[in-house]
Amino acid sequence: MAVQGIFPLIYMLMNFAGSLQKIAIFRALQLGDMLCAIPAIRALRSVYPDAHITLLGLAWEESLLTRFPGYFDAFIEFPGYPGLPEQEPDLKRFPAFLNAMQQEQFDLVLQMQGNGSIVNPMLALFNGRYTAGYWRREDYCPDPALFLEYPEHVNEIERHLLLMNHLGIPSQGKELEFPISAQDKYEFEQLHLPLTPGEYICIHPGSRGSWRQWPTELFASLADHFASLGWQIVLTGTKQEIPLTMEVASKMQYTAINAAGITKLGSLAVMIKHARALFSNCTGVSHIAAALQTPSIVISMDGEPDRWGPLNKQLHYTIDWTREQRYDRVQSWSEHLLAQTARRPILQ
């Protein structure tokens, strides 16, 4: 029997004896990583509409239960694990976490973290009825039938859809999602920023890791160029990125609105939705722009533009700075983007 036919058979057998009632998704990563996994989770939910799906992840990911109530039913914070760089592991908490995972008695544990070289042995200890995900041939594999050899050199969105396909779960589209709530809109309105929808450009100079950040003087130059053409410039970022946005502002000849540190994730999304365009590093906000269909210029500093760049190449231009470091090309592509993308009606 072909591997792709195994999981539908399991599904039929489990329907006979009781369907998959409890599913755990392990993906302890950051915002952009999670948004890229949403199309696969959407597909999963379409096949298992009544399953109880628990997200196992970093503390911030609990907010995804409110953002995506149709996809997640519960959240359990992951205390970290040696070898995973996303957080310092709390080894004192790990035994209790592992015991809790075993007590959950998940029907299916999905490893959507990465190639599995570190986490697959750990997830096997959860003792789920089935464990599925990615593996490498040189590493341990909990179940050769349900694990997909990690697909290299593909877009992150498509990678997770390949896993779903491997498990007999059909795609429900590659589109990203970022639902905006009434609370998000209210929090944005309370900022009282002097912004006209469609008349400003958001510039986001930050990202996790300084090596992934385009030089501030280049962001400043790009901001000045479009300010000289009449666009209002808004600098965005977290509280930790305020020094970065201040550095960009100090290198500009024109005045920009510095919104770093004053927005929450939801109100920032509203700002991006109403913007004419977003210019940013390849980071979480670039995936928000992709989800909200706001035109964007994405500067890739990590050499993986095909993995992380938005799939819609007409609406979003990803520039691989590791291969061609030419500011004039970035400026011309930015002008071309605004010329080629229509102004969208702002829906409230």
Side-chain angles (χ1 to χ4, degrees):
M1 179 182 297
V3 171
Q4 285 184 310
I6 292 176
F7 203 77
L9 175 59
I10 289 174
Y11 182 51
M12 287 190 294
L13 292 174
M14 294 191 72
N15 268 339
F16 182 77
S19 64
L20 294 178
Q21 297 292 329
K22 296 184 68 175
I23 299 174
I25 296 173
F26 180 76
R27 190 160 173 81
L29 296 169
Q30 301 300 335
L31 175 63
D33 306 275
M34 289 306 303
L35 293 185
C36 287
I38 289 297
I41 296 169
R42 178 172 64 231
L44 177 71
R45 177 58 88 185
S46 73
V47 173
Y48 300 105
D50 300 320
H52 188 271
I53 297 180
T54 299
L55 175 62
L56 312 177
L58 306 181
W60 80 267
E61 292 175 70
E62 187 171 9
S63 65
L64 297 179
L65 269 66
T66 301
R67 185 72 57 189
F68 297 97
Y71 297 158
F72 304 111
D73 300 293
F75 170 79
I76 298 176
E77 183 179 351
F78 173 60
Y81 191 74
L84 294 181
E86 286 72 29
Q87 64 177 347
E88 188 69 24
D90 188 341
L91 298 182
K92 291 182 179 179
R93 290 174 52 206
F94 189 80
F97 169 78
L98 180 58
N99 181 65
M101 294 303 93
Q102 295 175 346
Q103 294 298 318
E104 287 284 345
Q105 297 183 323
F106 292 114
D107 293 313
L108 174 64
V109 177
L110 272 175
Q111 190 276 99
M112 297 178 68
Q113 179 79 4
N115 64 28
S117 59
I118 295 174
V119 301
N120 282 349
M122 177 192 72
L123 294 184
L125 297 176
F126 290 8
N127 200 31
R129 189 174 184 182
Y130 298 101
T131 304
Y134 305 105
W135 73 299
R136 299 189 307 177
R137 289 187 179 272
E138 62 267 35
D139 297 323
Y140 168 74
C141 179
D143 188 335
L146 299 183
F147 273 71
L148 173 68
E149 187 172 357
Y150 189 69
E152 299 282 358
H153 311 299
V154 297
N155 187 274
E156 189 72 6
I157 297 167
E158 294 172 331
R159 173 179 287 113
H160 298 303
L161 290 175
L162 286 172
L163 176 60
M164 294 301 110
N165 180 68
H166 178 75
L167 301 177
I169 298 171
S171 172
Q172 299 298 309
K174 300 178 182 180
E175 300 78 18
L176 297 187
E177 300 179 36
F178 194 91
I180 288 177
S181 68
Q183 180 66 22
D184 296 332
K185 296 177 182 178
Y186 173 77
E187 290 174 354
F188 175 74
E189 292 168 356
Q190 293 307 299
L191 297 175
H192 300 294
L193 296 174
L195 298 175
T196 301
E199 299 296 332
Y200 61 91
I201 293 172
C202 288
I203 291 186
H204 191 93
S207 69
R208 289 185 177 272
S210 58
W211 57 275
R212 295 174 56 193
Q213 297 169 3
W214 202 41
T216 53
E217 61 269 18
L218 298 184
F219 269 122
S221 181
L222 194 63
D224 272 336
H225 174 72
F226 283 94
S228 72
L229 298 177
W231 296 99
Q232 194 167 19
I233 303 299
V234 183
L235 304 176
T236 63
T238 64
K239 288 183 180 179
Q240 293 74 23
E241 291 167 338
I242 290 176
L244 197 62
T245 57
M246 291 181 65
E247 185 175 333
V248 173
S250 70
K251 295 177 179 179
M252 290 178 59
Q253 296 179 3
Y254 288 81
T255 300
I257 294 176
N258 193 343
I262 68 171
T263 55
K264 296 182 180 179
L265 183 59
S267 55
L268 175 59
V270 176
M271 182 183 296
I272 292 172
K273 178 183 177 181
H274 290 181
R276 180 63 180 86
L278 168 75
F279 301 156
S280 76
N281 295 301
C282 188
T283 189
V285 293
S286 65
H287 302 294
I288 292 178
L292 299 176
Q293 299 184 48
T294 297
S296 66
I297 293 290
V298 180
I299 310 295
S300 174
M301 303 290 289
D302 58 11
E304 295 186 297
D306 294 333
R307 177 180 179 182
W308 296 108
L311 291 173
N312 186 332
K313 305 304 181 185
Q314 286 71 48
L315 203 58
H316 312 284
Y317 297 166
T318 302
I319 298 167
D320 186 355
W321 192 253
T322 66
R323 298 186 65 181
E324 186 177 29
Q325 299 183 9
R326 288 187 55 181
Y327 168 79
D328 61 320
R329 290 287 182 90
V330 177
Q331 181 177 300
S332 63
W333 274 107
S334 303
E335 293 173 348
H336 186 264
L337 174 73
L338 295 189
Q340 295 300 311
T341 54
R343 292 174 183 260
R344 301 164 298 125
I346 303 299
L347 302 178
Q348 301 299 325

